[in-house]
């Protein structure tokens, strides 16, 4: 089971936003409006290494320490990348720090110092008919400048797009769109719409990038080869490891050789401490039964309680319940699996609603109801799991884990099957608290410290990354010493440890 909650408190918004500034003036009486040459100083060419060759795109430096904004599809499926600055200097991309494939934006980082930066504008302030400039590297031709008008502002798939009459080509993707006063208001997404007329192109508003800065401020870059940046099916970007011409497969996770039956009777109890007094207790347990038709059924049940501890006096503190979540996941073990997951969320905070989230995946069809009552349905690859079953899938894999593999899970916010990259590290020995006599795990369960072999697991989804140890032998259950309080191994109810 993977770590259940990662408390990310992004406190660096003001620091990062204040770092996004126009190039300082070096002369007295210099015009406040920068020249095209000055705008070009912050624009970079991005050369991407793929499994079957290379590709190029563009980007713009938004922080002098080396944060670069580009289009997500520029780096999707890449093993690495290099950035060529306007000075001609080439720098290695250290990794991705934020990615949003829905809006086709990404933030990558190079190890820079006092790099020339662009000034970010407000895409909501521009108007149709306004003159704009695009600077990029179409077909590899660096610092190419084209101009045109803002033709229209469109809404497509729940996001805003800037329709521009600026001629752009492949290689321009991810490059900045400037106003005449030198402010970036968008990023080119060249080739986003292949069914429209020539020179009718689109850019994503820079406001989507600005909304990511606070989260990105505190993140460590994930190397591109270790990330899992995959665009939605149909955007012309390949799934991880796919050959040229292949997109997301119709059946996923089949190659993992999962044996869910080994999880029967397993329990893991965790106590997780977050920042600002947030605490969680989590008990996950697996069982194997049958559905009404007699088909084997894996059941995963999770009880999750969130609490907060705060000071009420200099020498006294109190703890208050925030929410309870009861998550029940059922997976039929059949050639055409059926997965049903229901989340009962009970909030004890007036500002946060209680409710139910319900997901049904039947073959390739899914239907999803969110906490607020929103509904989604559609088609996803057969074999897709849920994030709740990610840790279970790792646990159910064979004893000999591959060095790298992908697990496809459903993302309810996007309605898509998204790959999580899993990397297996070195083996080591670790002492873990095992339930005595196979008793059920809980806060008062008597345990015995037992030394076992573990391997380090690193999961990456987009630019999000987690690390934790799992048992080296199947079932590869999570045994993170930072929060593990009790583990009951399958079959341990009939023997002592």
């Amino acid at each position: 089971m993977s770590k259940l909650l990662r408390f990310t408190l992004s406190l660096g918004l003001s620091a990062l936003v204040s770092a996004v500034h126009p190039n300082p003036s070096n002369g007295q009486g210099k015009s406040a409006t920068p020249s095209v040459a000055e705008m070009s100083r912050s624009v970079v060419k991005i050369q991407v290494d793929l499994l079957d060759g290379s590709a190029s795109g563009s980007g713009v430096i938004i922080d002098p320490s080396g944060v670069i904004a580009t289009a997500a599809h520029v780096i999707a499926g890449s093993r690495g990348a290099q950035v060529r600055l306007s000075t001609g200097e080439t720098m290695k991309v250290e990794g991705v720090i934020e990615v949003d494939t829905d809006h086709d934006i990404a933030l990558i980082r190079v190890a820079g110092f006092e790099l020339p930066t662009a000034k970010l504008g407000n895409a909501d302030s521009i108007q149709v008919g306004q003159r704009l400039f695009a600077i990029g590297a179409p077909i590899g031709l660096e610092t190419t400048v084209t101009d045109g008008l803002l033709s229209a502002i469109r809404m497509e798939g729940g996001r805003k797009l800037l329709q521009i009459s600026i001629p752009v080509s492949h290689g321009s993707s991810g490059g900045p769109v400037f106003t005449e006063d030198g402010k970036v208001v968008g990023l080119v997404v060249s080739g986003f719409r292949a069914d429209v007329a020539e020179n009718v192109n689109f850019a994503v508003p820079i406001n989507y990038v600005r909304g990511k800065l606070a989260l990105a401020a505190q993140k460590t870059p994930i190397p591109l080869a270790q990330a899992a940046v995959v665009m939605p099916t149909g955007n012309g970007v390949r799934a991880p490891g796919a050959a040229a011409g292949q997109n997301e497969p119709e059946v996923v996770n089949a190659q993992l050789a999962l044996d869910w039956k080994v999880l029967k009777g397993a329990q893991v109890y965790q106590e997780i401490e977050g920042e600002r007094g947030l605490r969680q207790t989590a008990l996950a347990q697996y069982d194997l039964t049958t559905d009404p038709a007699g088909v084997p059924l894996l059941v995963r049940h999770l009880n999750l309680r969130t609490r907060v501890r705060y000071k009420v006096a200099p020498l006294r503190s109190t703890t208050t319940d925030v929410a309870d979540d009861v998550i029940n996941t059922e997976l039929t073990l059949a050639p055409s699996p059926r997965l049903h997951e229901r989340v009962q969320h009970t909030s004890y905070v007036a500002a946060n609603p209680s409710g139910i989230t319900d997901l049904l995946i039947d073959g390739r069809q899914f239907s999803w109801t969110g906490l607020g009552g929103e509904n989604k349905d559609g088609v996803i690859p057969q074999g897709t799991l849920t994030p709740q079953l990610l840790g279970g899938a790792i646990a159910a894999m064979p004893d000999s884990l591959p060095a790298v593999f992908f697990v496809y899970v459903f993302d309810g916010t996007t309605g898509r099957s998204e790959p999580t990259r899993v990397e297996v590290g070195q083996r080591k020995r670790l002492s873990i608290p095992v339930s005595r006599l196979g008793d059920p795990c809980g806060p008062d369960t008597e345990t015995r410290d037992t030394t076992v072999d573990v391997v380090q697991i690193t999961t990456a989804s987009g630019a999000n990354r987690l690390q934790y140890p799992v048992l080296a032998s199947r079932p590869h259950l999570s045994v993170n010493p930072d929060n593990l309080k009790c583990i009951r191994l399958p079959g341990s109810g009939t023997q002592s440890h």
Side-chain angles (χ1 to χ4, degrees):
M1 182 179 65
S2 62
K3 188 172 181 180
L4 299 169
L5 180 65
R6 186 183 185 186
F7 297 99
T8 305
L9 301 175
S10 303
L11 305 177
L13 173 60
S14 59
L16 185 54
V17 171
S18 64
V20 179
H21 55 78
N23 298 325
S25 173
N26 294 323
Q28 300 297 323
K30 189 174 182 178
S31 170
T33 301
S35 65
V36 172
E38 289 174 307
M39 291 187 238
S40 298
R41 293 181 61 218
S42 62
V43 182
V44 301
K45 175 184 176 182
I46 304 173
Q47 191 71 29
V48 178
D49 301 322
L50 302 172
L51 289 173
D52 55 353
S54 63
S56 65
S58 303
V60 59
I61 305 170
I62 61 173
D63 183 87
S65 67
V67 178
I68 296 170
T70 186
H73 75 260
V74 169
I75 61 169
S78 62
R79 297 182 298 170
Q82 300 79 40
V83 164
R84 184 177 173 89
L85 307 180
S86 60
T87 60
E89 181 182 2
T90 299
M91 305 182 75
K92 177 185 176 182
V93 173
E94 301 297 322
V96 57
I97 55 177
E98 189 63 43
V99 65
D100 181 348
T101 56
D102 278 342
H103 294 98
D104 201 1
I105 56 176
L107 298 178
I108 59 177
R109 182 184 287 279
V110 297
F113 176 72
E114 292 189 355
L115 298 179
T117 60
K119 183 175 182 179
L120 303 188
N122 180 3
D124 292 336
S125 67
I126 58 177
Q127 299 183 10
V128 173
Q130 185 171 338
R131 188 185 183 207
L132 301 171
F133 296 92
I135 304 178
I139 60 174
L141 301 175
E142 300 170 41
T143 60
T144 296
V145 181
T146 53
D147 68 341
L149 303 177
L150 176 62
S151 303
I153 299 175
R154 309 286 186 189
M155 292 298 298
E156 182 169 312
R159 60 181 162 187
K160 184 180 291 185
L161 287 173
L162 309 178
Q163 182 182 331
I164 53 179
S165 64
I166 303 173
V168 293
S169 304
H170 290 292
S172 300
S173 293
V177 176
F178 290 92
T179 57
E180 289 187 287
D181 60 355
K183 296 179 180 178
V184 177
V185 291
L187 296 177
V188 172
V189 283
S190 176
F192 179 74
R193 292 279 299 274
D195 57 334
V196 295
E198 185 178 359
N199 290 340
V200 179
N201 297 298
F202 292 86
V204 291
I206 200 64
N207 295 21
Y208 291 132
V209 173
R210 299 188 74 157
K212 301 291 181 182
L213 297 182
L215 292 174
Q218 303 298 319
K219 284 190 173 182
T220 301
I222 299 179
L224 293 176
Q226 297 178 15
V229 182
V230 179
M231 300 299 292
T233 302
N235 279 23
V237 179
R238 296 186 295 278
Q246 292 181 325
N247 283 312
E248 192 173 71
E250 290 190 3
V251 178
V252 294
N253 297 327
Q255 77 285 358
L256 301 179
L258 303 178
D259 182 4
W260 295 103
K261 297 177 182 179
V262 302
L263 293 173
K264 182 180 181 180
Q267 292 186 348
V268 178
Y269 177 72
Q270 297 172 295
E271 294 180 0
I272 305 166
E273 292 195 18
E275 299 180 18
R276 294 187 176 181
L278 283 171
R279 296 187 173 193
Q280 284 191 312
T281 59
L283 174 61
Q285 46 194 336
Y286 295 87
D287 196 11
L288 193 68
T289 181
T290 58
D291 68 6
V295 179
L297 183 72
L298 175 78
V299 178
R300 180 183 186 272
H301 190 79
L302 173 67
N303 286 87
L304 179 67
R305 168 160 289 188
T306 303
R307 318 184 79 187
V308 63
R309 174 178 289 181
Y310 57 91
K311 290 184 177 180
V312 295
L315 300 178
R316 195 161 59 89
S317 64
T318 188
T319 301
T320 299
D321 292 341
V322 175
D324 282 325
D325 290 280
V326 178
I327 306 173
N328 198 69
T329 308
E330 297 181 349
L331 175 66
T332 58
L333 306 184
S336 181
R338 184 177 187 271
L339 192 157
H340 182 216
E341 185 167 282
R342 187 177 188 271
V343 182
Q344 174 71 59
H345 177 74
T346 304
S347 174
Y348 304 113
V349 179
N352 297 327
S354 300
I356 295 174
T357 299
D358 194 89
L359 169 66
L360 176 64
I361 303 176
D362 195 348
R364 299 190 62 215
Q365 301 288 329
F366 81 86
S367 60
W368 177 81
T369 302
L371 186 63
E374 64 272 31
N375 295 288
K376 283 191 179 76
D377 58 74
V379 176
I380 55 176
Q382 183 173 309
T384 297
L385 301 174
T386 65
Q388 292 296 331
L389 282 181
L390 172 61
I394 295 172
M397 290 188 64
D399 282 341
S400 181
L401 291 169
V404 176
F405 57 94
F406 289 87
V407 181
Y408 280 78
V409 298
F410 177 79
D411 185 341
T413 61
T414 64
R416 297 201 306 263
S417 178
E418 303 279 5
T420 295
R421 185 184 190 274
V422 184
E423 182 177 343
V424 180
Q426 294 183 340
R427 181 185 293 249
K428 64 179 182 180
R429 301 280 283 172
L430 185 69
S431 180
I432 64 172
V434 178
S435 168
R436 283 181 179 266
L437 303 176
D439 291 338
C441 281
D444 301 319
T445 301
E446 185 179 358
T447 61
R448 171 179 294 175
D449 289 341
T450 304
T451 301
V452 295
D453 288 331
V454 301
V455 291
Q456 187 76 1
I457 291 291
T458 302
T459 64
S461 179
N464 297 315
R465 182 182 176 96
L466 287 175
Q467 288 187 320
Y468 53 91
V470 301
L471 295 174
S473 298
R474 186 165 62 182
H476 309 286
L477 295 165
S478 172
V479 287
N480 191 340
D482 293 336
N483 50 54
L484 180 66
K485 299 302 179 183
C486 173
I487 183 171
R488 186 177 78 170
L489 300 175
S492 62
T494 58
Q495 59 183 342
S496 60
H497 291 269

